[in-house]
Amino acid sequence: MKRTLTTALACAVLLAGCAAPASTAGVPGSTPAASLPKATPAPSPSPAPREVSLEEWRAAMPPNAPSFSLEDVEPTLDENVLWPDQVELFIPYWEGTLEEADAAFGLPAGSFTVWEDSYFHPSEGTIAIRAGGYAPPKTPVQRVTVDVPWVESRFDRSAAYTVPAALDEQAACALAAAQYFLYHHHGLHHGLDPSEYDEATWSYTSTAGAMYVRYSELEQFLGCVFTPAMGGGMLGGPLAADARPEPSLFYQGEGDTIRFMMSDAGSDISHCGTAYTEPALQPDGSLLFWQLSLHLDEEDENFVGWGEGRQYTPVEAYVTPVRLVLSDSGWRVAEYSLSL
């Protein structure tokens, strides 16, 4: 198996000390960096959280706030991709045992083995593992369209994403807003366009027509979509006029401007689409579910590229956690990686 390490997997946030949901046939209950629960009685779940309306949540955003529209859709993969009966699972960072992974995914004992040729470098206390024979679930989904009509670039003005149908309106829109921002401004591309370049500091400053041109507004937007830890990890704070920014951070320049070092990354040609497991309310009140990024095997001689109506069936899935945490003003995205 040959794979290009994408930004999506590189920016995955490790999830530690969180119990995986009980697994059933065809429904995974794990994460690349989650410790599995021990054989102890399950704790009582937290009370159902207060639902925050979409209007209330958007009111806390800057004056230029995205608009959202939602519709129920059938779970599908990318164009000309067939839904697989089974795939091989890859977990780059696993803190439990192989036996615990088998149980969490509802697979027979001995299914998971150590992923010896992993190009990932597991952190201390984790291992990379793999297992075959897993049936991806067709979890009901909804499509959320994110519109930012004031943005100059047509490519960045609107985008649609599928998220689990079980998420309420505000949670679904928060996750879609996170997907939009990470895809367009902090994932495949880092930056806010249009912008002006300063050769002396190798930095760019966003200008009129960008999603945001004031650092305080960007900070406010990120605070409405992400948890402080995740959103704050994208912000570098004030930056001296003659200083160079660090990659992958947005800084506050003179006059509340937004400064950054622009960068771009490629996606994986073998990507076939995304599937999810059902969101589950955790004892700490967070919502947790798993994202399966489905791929072809690039070394398969039958894969000759996309186009001309060619149809393919994915054979691999990379599992990453998605976690939302409730605040006083709605759900915030605590963990998410782009599926590319």
Side-chain angles (χ1 to χ4, degrees):
M1 181 197 63
K2 180 180 178 183
R3 171 90 48 231
T4 301
L5 178 59
T6 65
T7 301
L9 291 173
C11 69
V13 182
L14 295 183
L15 174 64
C18 179
S23 60
T24 57
V27 179
S30 184
T31 174
S35 297
L36 287 175
K38 305 302 181 183
T40 56
S44 300
S46 299
R50 181 181 73 89
E51 186 171 318
V52 174
S53 71
L54 179 60
E55 292 74 19
E56 181 182 354
W57 174 64
R58 289 186 69 245
M61 287 190 177
N64 278 347
S67 60
F68 303 88
S69 56
L70 300 88
E71 60 176 328
D72 291 330
V73 295
E74 292 297 320
T76 58
L77 301 177
D78 293 347
E79 187 178 1
N80 294 324
V81 173
L82 303 176
W83 198 279
D85 293 327
Q86 294 184 341
V87 294
E88 186 173 13
L89 296 177
F90 292 89
I91 306 180
Y93 309 100
W94 183 258
E95 291 184 356
T97 66
L98 296 176
E99 293 77 14
E100 289 170 328
D102 292 332
F105 280 84
L107 294 173
S111 294
F112 273 99
T113 59
V114 175
W115 185 7
E116 297 287 0
D117 60 344
S118 170
Y119 49 79
F120 294 95
H121 301 286
S123 56
E124 184 177 356
T126 71
I127 55 175
I129 61 176
R130 63 196 297 176
Y134 176 76
K138 283 192 174 182
T139 301
V141 294
Q142 55 188 321
R143 180 185 294 125
V144 183
T145 301
V146 183
D147 288 306
V148 282
W150 69 90
V151 172
E152 181 177 299
S153 169
R154 291 186 178 181
F155 173 73
D156 295 334
R157 284 182 197 166
S158 181
Y161 306 94
T162 56
V163 303
L167 297 178
D168 70 35
E169 188 177 54
Q170 187 271 315
C173 292
L175 181 55
Q179 292 173 308
Y180 169 85
F181 188 81
L182 293 176
Y183 185 92
H184 290 266
H185 302 300
H186 195 68
L188 285 180
H189 174 71
H190 177 75
L192 295 162
D193 303 304
S195 58
E196 294 179 347
Y197 179 62
D198 177 53
E199 187 173 357
T201 59
W202 297 358
S203 69
Y204 293 79
T205 301
S206 61
T207 58
M211 184 178 183
Y212 292 111
V213 297
R214 293 183 177 276
Y215 183 88
S216 57
E217 292 184 340
L218 175 61
E219 186 176 33
Q220 183 180 357
F221 169 79
L222 294 178
C224 289
V225 175
F226 300 98
T227 59
M230 188 168 183
M234 306 177 203
L235 300 172
L239 186 68
D242 59 349
R244 291 179 179 177
E246 294 291 330
S248 300
L249 289 175
F250 294 100
Y251 290 86
Q252 185 177 35
E254 185 177 1
D256 199 28
T257 55
I258 304 172
R259 290 180 58 196
F260 52 90
M261 184 181 291
M262 191 177 293
S263 61
D264 292 281
S267 59
D268 194 331
I269 192 174
S270 73
H271 183 256
C272 294
T274 304
Y276 298 103
T277 64
E278 285 284 0
L281 185 65
Q282 302 300 297
D284 65 359
S286 66
L287 281 174
L288 183 64
F289 54 100
W290 316 116
Q291 175 179 257
L292 281 72
S293 181
L294 299 170
H295 292 262
L296 304 173
D297 182 350
E298 291 178 4
E299 294 184 346
D300 186 347
E301 61 182 12
N302 294 316
F303 178 60
V304 293
W306 300 99
E308 299 182 4
R310 300 188 187 98
Q311 289 188 319
Y312 298 104
T313 303
V315 296
E316 304 169 353
Y318 292 81
V319 182
T320 53
V322 184
R323 187 160 64 97
L324 285 77
V325 174
L326 190 64
S327 73
D328 292 338
S329 54
W331 293 100
R332 300 291 187 270
V333 177
E335 298 183 74
Y336 176 76
S337 320
L338 290 176
S339 174
L340 297 171

